[in-house]
């Protein structure tokens, strides 16, 4: 027979030391404090109201935020907890039970513990994990995780930000500048790039490359590409959040004194270049204050040729890097063209920021 029951719901994310920490506490019923990062939502109640439901205790926010640390006696725990099995082998009339009329199993369980006078505890002595938010997780999407930038920031950043993203902000570091006033930053992980392409190809409705474009307000595109707009795949809100949270701070480092928060961008799209479809793009100005161009795949691996040529400076960026972002001024100085792709398929993610 086992000594303990360790109950873990799907929304709980635990640190490696969590179970050992709970066992060493010596308590019969103890939960690790788990909360949604940056929110008040957690896996315990600080107090209980007369109706038997949640009530906020005066110390609740201090415990959740970690501004006070310890092991706390609480009236309700859920999502993840450790229970001594001996509690389930009690005399009649003293049973611990998950069953009670009109309440869910967690409520019934905590209710029965309270009825027989067994104390339950929550520990925030150290960081023991957190809760994910499953409410907007949409399994009908291709790669639903990539849509979670607003609701599960911690997981999203671990999966999708480039491993060198934070190094962009190291003091005294000069950003790379492959052409005059064209800046180059690591932004997204290889996984992000792969999933972003998968989403577009699963959707599959690439524009026809003509000047008539029903997706645009005026119905006319002067310099058309084969592309898919973010609002066609339900990623507009997420992409604008990425622009605000992760791209704007980079922009503020290099185009000094230009401050526009949140960035506005109406045209956010993935372009597909390939020899048998549209291999290149003629010289043009972008209708933006600045433009970003994220490489979603790799030259000489996924395709040959390609790149961006800035005519005024006679300067090209051909050796683009997976997940790296090119950022350049838009409508005035950086007249540019897309160089021909000679084999394979090249994918880039483009935004015309502050049009
Ligand atoms: Fe352009």
């Amino acid at each position: 027979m086992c000594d303990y029951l360790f109950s873990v719901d799907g929304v709980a994310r635990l640190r490696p030391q969590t179970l050992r920490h709970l066992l060493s506490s010596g308590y019969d019923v103890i939960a690790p404090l788990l909360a949604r990062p940056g929110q008040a939502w957690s896996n315990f109640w600080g107090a209980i109201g007369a109706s038997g439901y949640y009530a906020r205790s005066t110390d609740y926010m201090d415990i959740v935020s970690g501004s006070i640390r310890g092991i706390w006696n609480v009236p309700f725990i859920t999502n993840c907890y450790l229970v001594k099995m001996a509690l389930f082998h009690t005399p009649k009339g003293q049973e611990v039970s998950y069953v009670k009329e009109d309440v869910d199993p967690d409520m019934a369980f905590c209710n029965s513990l309270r009825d027989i006078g067994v104390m339950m505890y929550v520990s925030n002595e150290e960081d023991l994990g957190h809760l994910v938010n499953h409410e907007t997780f949409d399994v009908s999407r291709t790669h639903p995780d990539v849509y979670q930038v607003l609701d599960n920031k911690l997981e999203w950043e671990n999966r999708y930000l480039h491993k060198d993203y934070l190094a962009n902000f190291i003091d005294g570091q000069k950003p790379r500048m492959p052409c005059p006033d064209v800046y180059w930053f690591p932004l997204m992980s290889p996984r992000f790039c792969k999933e972003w392409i998968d989403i577009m190809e699963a959707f599959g409705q690439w524009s026809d490359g003509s000047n008539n474009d029903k997706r645009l307000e005026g119905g006319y595109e002067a310099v058309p590409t084969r592309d898919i707009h973010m609002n066609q795949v339900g990623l507009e809100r997420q992409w604008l959040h990425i622009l605000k949270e992760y791209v704007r701070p980079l922009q503020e480092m290099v185009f000094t004194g230009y401050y526009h928060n949140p960035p506005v961008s109406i045209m956010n799209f993935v372009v597909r270049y390939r020899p048998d479809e549209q291999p290149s793009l003629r010289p043009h100005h972008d209708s933006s204050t600045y433009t970003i161009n994220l490489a979603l795949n790799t030259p000489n691996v996924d395709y040959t040729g390609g790149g961006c040529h800035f005519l005024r400076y006679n300067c090209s960026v051909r050796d683009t890097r997976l997940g790296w972002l090119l950022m350049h001024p838009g409508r005035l100085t950086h007249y540019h063209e897309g160089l021909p792709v000679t084999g394979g398929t090249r994918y880039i993610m483009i935004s015309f920021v502050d049009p």
Side-chain angles (χ1 to χ4, degrees):
M1 197 199 91
C2 54
D3 295 328
Y4 285 92
L5 166 72
F6 189 42
S7 174
V8 185
D9 290 357
V11 292
R13 296 291 178 275
L14 305 178
R15 308 276 294 186
Q17 76 276 20
T18 297
L19 179 55
R20 188 176 299 275
H21 179 91
L22 298 177
L23 279 167
S24 69
S25 75
Y27 289 96
D28 287 355
V29 185
I30 186 165
L33 168 66
L34 307 175
R36 289 182 183 172
Q39 294 181 25
W41 184 282
S42 79
N43 67 327
F44 79 98
W45 296 352
I48 204 158
S51 60
Y53 285 91
Y54 176 89
R56 183 168 284 190
S57 61
T58 51
D59 55 4
Y60 179 81
M61 288 309 298
D62 292 331
I63 295 172
V64 171
S65 69
S67 65
I68 54 176
R69 297 268 178 187
I71 293 179
W72 313 91
N73 179 207
V74 296
F76 177 80
I77 54 177
T78 183
N79 297 143
C80 175
Y81 48 82
L82 184 72
V83 186
K84 208 168 220 171
M85 283 305 289
L87 285 176
F88 292 97
H89 305 281
T90 45
K92 207 167 162 47
Q94 295 276 296
E95 294 99 344
V96 176
S97 170
Y98 283 96
V99 182
K100 191 183 179 193
E101 218 171 301
D102 296 331
V103 297
D104 68 36
D106 285 341
M107 289 273 290
F109 173 65
C110 294
N111 212 322
S112 70
L113 288 173
R114 293 197 304 271
D115 284 349
I116 61 171
V118 174
M119 298 288 185
M120 58 200 112
Y121 295 86
V122 67
S123 171
N124 72 342
E125 286 185 300
E126 55 186 90
D127 178 14
L128 298 170
H130 67 277
L131 296 177
V132 295
N133 178 355
H134 62 284
E135 283 161 25
T136 63
F137 198 82
D138 182 355
V139 293
S140 72
R141 297 286 191 192
T142 306
H143 300 306
D145 283 325
V146 90
Y147 286 77
Q148 289 292 305
V149 61
L150 290 124
D151 298 311
N152 286 293
K153 186 176 179 215
L154 210 60
E155 273 76 19
W156 192 92
E157 288 188 350
N158 284 334
R159 287 179 183 129
Y160 297 119
L161 273 190
H162 196 286
K163 65 177 174 40
D164 296 327
Y165 175 74
L166 288 177
N168 287 315
F169 300 97
I170 292 172
D171 256 0
Q173 174 163 295
K174 266 191 113 141
R176 286 172 185 77
M177 192 169 71
C179 294
D181 282 327
V182 178
Y183 293 95
W184 209 6
F185 304 104
L187 179 71
M188 292 304 185
S189 69
R191 177 173 167 181
F192 177 93
C193 297
K194 184 197 173 292
E195 294 188 4
W196 211 253
I197 293 172
D198 286 349
I199 291 168
M200 303 311 142
E201 289 296 357
F203 176 67
Q205 294 173 39
W206 299 88
S207 61
D208 61 7
S210 74
N211 293 112
N212 302 314
D213 192 338
K214 287 199 277 294
R215 298 170 302 177
L216 306 179
E217 215 168 279
Y220 183 83
E221 170 55 63
V223 194
T225 49
R226 304 282 183 151
D227 54 45
I228 291 172
H229 289 195
M230 290 308 98
N231 56 16
Q232 294 179 276
V233 287
L235 279 169
E236 182 89 349
R237 205 165 62 94
Q238 287 82 351
W239 180 254
L240 291 177
H241 187 75
I242 292 169
L243 287 183
K244 176 181 155 68
E245 288 295 309
Y246 306 109
V247 175
R248 179 186 54 83
L250 298 171
Q251 175 268 301
E252 288 173 5
M253 279 200 304
V254 293
F255 301 134
T256 318
Y258 183 72
Y259 183 81
H260 197 198
N261 187 14
V264 173
S265 184
I266 299 156
M267 297 279 284
N268 308 290
F269 53 98
V270 171
V271 181
R272 180 168 84 176
Y273 288 120
R274 57 191 205 192
D276 62 349
E277 201 175 63
Q278 177 173 353
S280 62
L281 188 60
R282 68 171 172 81
H284 63 280
H285 284 289
D286 292 337
S287 55
S288 69
T289 301
Y290 65 94
T291 293
I292 59 164
N293 177 334
L294 174 70
L296 295 175
N297 59 356
T298 306
N300 302 316
V301 174
D302 303 305
Y303 61 91
T304 51
C308 191
H309 178 63
F310 297 92
L311 283 81
R312 189 182 193 196
Y313 310 99
N314 190 26
C315 180
S316 298
V317 186
R318 288 193 175 86
D319 55 341
T320 54
R321 299 178 193 178
L322 185 67
W324 283 57
L325 178 81
L326 288 168
M327 180 183 286
H328 63 82
R331 57 169 59 80
L332 197 57
T333 50
H334 282 60
Y335 193 58
H336 59 281
E337 64 183 323
L339 297 170
V341 168
T342 53
T345 304
R346 178 183 181 222
Y347 297 94
I348 51 176
M349 172 73 209
I350 301 286
S351 278
F352 299 151
V353 186
D354 299 334

